[in-house]
Amino acid sequence: MIERYSRPRMKRVWSDENKYDKWLAVELAVCEAWTEEGTIPVADMEKLRGAKYDIGRLNEVLAVTKHDMTAFMKSVTEQLGPEGRWLHLGITTSDVWDTATNLQLLDAADLLDEETGALIDAIETQARCHKDTIMMGRTHGVHAEPITFGLKLAVWWDEMRRNRRRLAQARAEMAVGQVSGPVGTHATVSPAIETTVCRHLGIAAAPVSSQIIQRDRHAVFITTLAVIAASLEKFATEFRGMVRTEIREVEEPFGEGQTGSSSMPHKRNPELTERVCGLARLIRGHAVTSLENVALWGERDISHSSAERLILPDSCMALDYILDLFTGVIRGMRVYPERMKQNMELTRGLLFSSRLMLALVEKGMSRDDAYKLAQTHSSRVWEEDSDFRDLIRADEEVGALLDSTELDGIFDYGYFVRFVDHTFERVGLG
């Protein structure tokens, strides 16, 4: 991930230094397990606990060996005495690599959970604030019936809570390690060693492995990140629509001295939410790659390895970035309630057509006739620039069934949002 979209804490999780720290932690956990078994002398283990790698030396060796693990091991053992022979005893590269990578993914998941929680809190604050801020609901991009801005946000809030649960489930899938040796038979390292190693690392041992931890787990994790990103893209796309000049019901935070265009000083573009949408596409693409990594030859190959060097850190860093970005948008957004009311009036009462139709049906008119009556007057509004409410009040057929008080009730915006309080209580925002 490029520096522009990398935040410090997540960047640290995926740094080479943290990767090698995790590798060393796994290697030492294996040695601790062998010591508990009685294979490694306690005196040697005491020296091994001080083991460290030299990243400069590691890179020098890597240029020759072209193999990360052998270069890593050499950079560690060169700084040890005879006790260095115990490192990597009975295990293979994937035992270290896969277990350490999962530890990185757990750290990343914890950061993503924190950012997800921050967004949930930000949406909740705004949803409560705008619970009764009435606005136009739209379907197919066209005016439908009124909702409240708070209700729209409540939908987002509930979706992000589901996403947080999905992330927790995906994290649980990754909370495993493996130390099963070549092709996963435990021929050179017993299941007891594996169990002890994973206990030292605070994770469970995968019940069975084939030299690698199976990549369906990683696919679940990355596709979960893609689902969260898809939700953010959904919210951001809606926000971008509401920002349009013709609508202008909300606006992204826009600071003093900020510019929106190099050539048009008046511009205030929704560039933050556009960025959310763009990076969500990146994560979605990585989800496809993670699914393609599930199928490998025999017990393993390394066709997944090169892809994972990109998709695991980049997916985590991109999601971390857009979660924080969109949280900032929600916290600092400008909301224009008066503009929302003006937009509701753009169609001059047409939004009450369904209310009229249902009221006429309740008074005995057939649904087909009621629909045609409302549609006829709706067409006149579009064609004559008249007001639907005025046309209906002047209609003798309607007047024979509905008095002025009943029509006042039909033309009441509050009718459409009368259950918002109930919905807030049901979803947990009450």
Side-chain angles (χ1 to χ4, degrees), residues 130-204:
H130 293 287
K131 178 173 67 72
D132 299 315
T133 302
I134 196 164
M135 65 175 294
M136 200 65 235
R138 299 174 175 90
T139 57
H140 306 275
V142 177
H143 284 204
E145 292 183 354
I147 60 171
T148 73
F149 188 47
L151 184 61
K152 183 187 292 289
L153 293 172
V155 171
W156 297 2
W157 181 78
D158 195 43
E159 185 166 337
M160 284 308 301
R161 288 198 304 163
R162 292 196 298 276
N163 282 330
R164 195 176 196 181
R165 291 194 293 270
R166 292 178 184 122
L167 180 60
Q169 292 166 355
R171 185 192 188 281
E173 291 273 354
M174 302 312 302
V176 297
Q178 60 124 68
V179 183
S180 56
V183 299
T185 61
H186 291 284
T188 56
V189 55
S190 72
I193 293 291
E194 180 179 59
T195 299
T196 301
V197 168
C198 291
R199 175 171 52 81
H200 275 285
L201 296 172
I203 54 179

Side-chain angles (χ1 to χ4, degrees), residues 142-430:
V142 177
H143 284 204
E145 292 183 354
I147 60 171
T148 73
F149 188 47
L151 184 61
K152 183 187 292 289
L153 293 172
V155 171
W156 297 2
W157 181 78
D158 195 43
E159 185 166 337
M160 284 308 301
R161 288 198 304 163
R162 292 196 298 276
N163 282 330
R164 195 176 196 181
R165 291 194 293 270
R166 292 178 184 122
L167 180 60
Q169 292 166 355
R171 185 192 188 281
E173 291 273 354
M174 302 312 302
V176 297
Q178 60 124 68
V179 183
S180 56
V183 299
T185 61
H186 291 284
T188 56
V189 55
S190 72
I193 293 291
E194 180 179 59
T195 299
T196 301
V197 168
C198 291
R199 175 171 52 81
H200 275 285
L201 296 172
I203 54 179
V208 60
S209 55
S210 61
Q211 190 174 328
I212 62 167
I213 293 173
Q214 301 307 290
R215 260 44 193 182
D216 63 289
R217 294 178 184 268
H218 302 72
V220 166
F221 188 87
I222 299 300
T223 52
T224 298
L225 302 195
V227 169
I228 298 172
S231 291
L232 295 180
E233 183 181 20
K234 164 188 167 180
F235 309 155
T237 298
E238 177 66 7
F239 197 98
R240 289 165 58 194
M242 296 171 67
V243 166
R244 285 180 297 167
T245 307
E246 295 82 0
I247 297 177
R248 201 169 176 268
E249 294 174 342
V250 297
E251 193 173 58
E252 288 185 2
F254 198 86
E256 182 73 26
Q258 185 176 342
T259 58
S261 167
S262 63
S263 59
M264 294 170 283
H266 70 278
K267 294 279 278 179
R268 290 189 176 187
N269 300 327
E271 58 97 5
L272 301 178
T273 44
E274 288 172 341
R275 204 181 308 164
V276 169
C277 293
L279 291 177
R281 297 169 191 164
L282 177 76
I283 300 168
R284 188 157 55 246
H286 290 343
V288 174
T289 304
S290 74
L291 292 168
E292 292 174 345
N293 280 347
V294 174
L296 303 174
W297 287 16
E299 275 44 70
R300 68 160 294 202
D301 60 48
I302 60 167
S303 62
H304 64 287
S305 176
S306 56
E308 286 180 352
R309 289 174 189 261
L310 293 173
I311 68 171
L312 297 184
D314 280 14
S315 296
C316 292
M317 284 194 275
L319 184 59
D320 175 65
Y321 178 80
I322 62 176
L323 277 167
D324 176 70
L325 193 66
F326 195 66
T327 299
V329 170
I330 293 297
R331 285 174 176 163
M333 67 180 172
R334 301 178 183 183
V335 181
Y336 300 110
E338 290 305 313
R339 180 68 175 184
M340 292 176 174
K341 292 177 182 177
Q342 291 170 15
N343 286 341
M344 285 196 300
E345 280 296 317
L346 285 176
T347 58
R348 300 175 299 280
L350 281 182
L351 60 89
F352 296 111
S353 68
S354 62
R355 284 281 291 126
L356 174 69
M357 179 187 69
L358 294 175
L360 292 173
V361 169
E362 291 174 6
K363 290 293 185 177
M365 186 179 289
S366 73
R367 183 180 179 85
D368 188 54
D369 287 343
Y371 188 100
K372 288 178 179 177
L373 186 150
Q375 188 180 47
T376 297
H377 287 300
S378 297
S379 297
R380 289 184 61 191
V381 171
W382 288 118
E383 296 163 4
E384 302 172 6
D385 201 28
S386 51
D387 190 289
F388 182 77
R389 288 157 291 201
D390 293 339
L391 295 176
I392 296 305
R393 291 184 189 279
D395 186 290
E396 294 182 0
E397 190 175 5
V398 172
L401 296 173
L402 298 166
D403 61 32
S404 60
T405 301
E406 290 173 313
L407 287 175
D408 287 342
I410 290 170
F411 299 143
D412 177 17
Y413 284 123
Y415 173 87
F416 295 99
V417 295
R418 68 192 191 282
F419 290 121
V420 168
D421 284 343
H422 171 80
T423 301
F424 266 58
E425 291 174 5
R426 188 169 63 180
V427 81
L429 285 169

